[in-house]
Amino acid sequence: MQSVTFTPTLQDLIQVYRLNLITSWKSWRVIRAYLIGAAVVGGAAALAAWQLKFAPVPLAALAGIAYWLAALTGIFISAYLQMPRRVRRIFDQQKALHDETVIAWSDNEIVVTSARGHARFEWRDFTSIVAGRHAILFRQSDAIFNFLPTLVLTRDQIDEILTFGGAAGQRIIDG
């Protein structure tokens, strides 16, 4: 079983939360919502224009689609820009994030140990594994994940972790 030891920093956490957010935005679920929402709002605008005769129907549909895309993009940009402040607060509140952490792995499990606890996961316990430039996320759900900064890993260790996760049937996502 290989292992690495690290103490998370605020910068690590900001990078990890950004990676999780951006990866979530790239998911098919979010893209589908983006497209379905555009179709619904565009269709509603077209229907309103047809019923109320206030604008040409195609123009109203395009305006509705543009409005939807602009509004949702604005929300995404706002969430991204607010991320450092939110993460700083989380880092200050969650004292466990200040502890030295040991992550060990083998071909069938990953073990996370710190002064505040010990958790053992089989690779198949994760919903996905996200491999980013600054960290690897081990997602337990859409909202909960463990992470490992890539700065403390060699290229061989990164490859081994992703190989073990992939062999267990995990979806490996490039971040």
Side-chain angles (χ1 to χ4, degrees):
M1 189 172 255
Q2 287 202 57
S3 69
V4 293
T5 302
F6 67 98
T7 302
T9 65
L10 174 60
Q11 193 59 37
D12 289 336
L13 203 61
I14 289 170
Q15 291 169 339
V16 164
Y17 270 80
R18 279 190 174 148
L19 176 61
N20 190 52
L21 183 68
I22 290 169
T23 303
S24 296
W25 289 344
K26 292 178 186 177
S27 73
W28 177 242
R29 185 174 29 105
V30 171
I31 293 168
R32 186 178 58 224
Y34 218 75
L35 296 174
I36 289 172
V40 168
V41 173
L47 181 62
W50 179 65
Q51 289 288 332
L52 302 174
K53 311 274 191 252
F54 65 83
V57 172
L59 183 62
L62 287 176
I65 291 168
Y67 171 78
W68 172 259
L69 296 177
L72 210 51
T73 300
I75 290 169
F76 287 167
I77 290 170
S78 175
Y80 184 83
L81 293 175
Q82 291 177 20
M83 180 71 60
R85 192 185 69 196
R86 263 191 4 191
V87 172
R88 196 171 298 113
R89 184 173 173 166
I90 291 168
F91 188 76
D92 289 343
Q93 291 173 343
Q94 262 184 288
K95 300 304 179 203
L97 289 172
H98 302 217
D99 292 343
E100 184 176 84
T101 302
V102 177
I103 295 187
W105 64 91
S106 69
D107 61 340
N108 61 347
E109 68 182 357
I110 185 166
V111 180
V112 181
T113 306
S114 74
R116 298 174 197 255
H118 177 85
R120 173 172 269 131
F121 302 97
E122 292 183 15
W123 288 106
R124 67 174 186 254
D125 293 341
F126 301 113
T127 59
S128 63
I129 297 172
V130 180
R133 191 170 82 233
H134 300 290
I136 298 174
L137 302 182
F138 303 98
R139 286 182 165 165
Q140 297 176 43
S141 69
D142 286 347
I144 298 172
F145 55 83
N146 299 88
F147 72 94
L148 182 55
T150 54
L151 184 64
V152 301
L153 298 167
T154 66
R155 184 70 235 172
D156 288 341
Q157 289 173 319
I158 292 169
D159 292 342
E160 182 178 63
I161 289 169
L162 298 178
T163 299
F164 289 159
Q170 280 307 318
R171 187 169 53 119
I172 308 295
I173 301 170
D174 279 329

